[in-house]
Amino acid sequence: MGKLTTHVLDTANGCPAAGMAVRLYRVDAEGPKWLRSLTLNHDGRADGPVLEGAAFTAGRYRLVFEVAAYFRARGDNLPEPAFLDEVPLDFGIADADSHYHVPLLASPWAYSTYRGS
């Protein structure tokens, strides 16, 4: 069976984004439906798959990373409003038997993502 995993690297400080909050949604014609919230561990990763088993199905999803809250909690002096507050990543799962890894590289000023392994 397939699964969804994620992790975040704090590129401003050169470390995992430990403690960053993340929310997962399934997105369909009626809009986003909240599935779960989690906090990343000391390695900037979820403690296990974000989605797996019978809940891991083909479709459109959104991960929302609370970037500004993370950097403020680290003591960074961000402007109000922050340049990046929450970073939403919309992606599709086409094959429910595959592993989808959605990492985020983030700073208070920029982010990037890719389909990892």
Side-chain angles (χ1 to χ4, degrees):
M1 289 214 128
K3 62 183 175 182
L4 171 65
T5 58
T6 190
H7 81 275
V8 180
L9 296 176
D10 171 346
T11 57
N13 296 291
C15 63
M20 184 179 286
V22 180
R23 297 185 313 275
L24 174 66
Y25 298 85
R26 182 172 173 96
V27 181
D28 59 23
E30 297 172 8
K33 176 185 173 191
W34 176 85
L35 296 178
R36 69 175 292 204
S37 297
L38 59 124
T39 301
L40 301 179
N41 65 21
H42 69 282
D43 197 30
R45 297 177 183 274
D47 285 329
V50 177
L51 195 62
E52 67 180 335
F56 187 76
T57 59
R60 294 176 51 222
Y61 292 86
R62 175 177 298 149
L63 283 167
V64 179
F65 299 88
E66 296 185 17
V67 173
Y70 163 79
F71 283 106
R72 284 191 173 113
R74 284 188 53 92
D76 291 357
N77 186 19
L78 302 182
E80 185 58 50
F83 180 69
L84 294 177
D85 185 11
E86 295 183 338
V87 172
L89 297 180
D90 289 6
F91 59 96
I93 293 174
D95 180 3
D97 291 325
S98 292
H99 177 191
Y100 284 75
H101 183 66
V102 182
L104 180 71
L105 308 174
S107 80
W109 315 109
Y111 68 91
S112 64
T113 190
Y114 54 95
R115 181 174 174 189
S117 58

